[in-house]
Structure formats: C-alpha cells, structure tokens
Amino acid sequence: MLESLVCPVSNAILTYDAAAQELISKAAHLAFPIRNGIPVMLVSEARALE
C-alpha cells in the first residue's frame, strides 16, 4: 500500500519509519504519523523534520 501513497505537499514518495510509526517525506521535510495502522496524511498532523 505504501507505493500508492505520496506526500500531500510535494507529491513525492514516502519512506516508512517502522520504529517511529511514521511516513517520511524527505522532499517536504515532514513526518506523517501512523495511528492504529492508518496513515494520517493531514499536513496539520505532520511533524516537521530538522
């Protein structure tokens, strides 16, 4: 399923971080949480990467 998801900001591919339970957008420098097995692809819920 990961192959079909893209970043809502940059439309770039996402990388799965199993330890943090997040989908990482390197292009937008954002991490989208995965809660109860469901990716939360809202920009307002994303964490900014440093």
Side-chain angles (χ1 to χ4, degrees):
M1 182 176 151
L2 178 60
E3 298 84 27
S4 63
L5 292 175
V6 295
C7 174
V9 176
S10 65
N11 290 323
I13 60 170
L14 299 167
T15 305
Y16 176 57
D17 182 347
Q21 286 295 293
E22 294 177 324
L23 293 174
I24 307 297
S25 172
K26 293 179 183 177
H29 302 285
L30 294 172
F32 296 91
I34 298 174
R35 296 188 185 127
N36 298 321
I38 301 170
V40 180
M41 302 304 295
L42 300 171
V43 176
S44 61
E45 294 290 320
R47 175 177 68 81
L49 298 175
E50 298 154 8

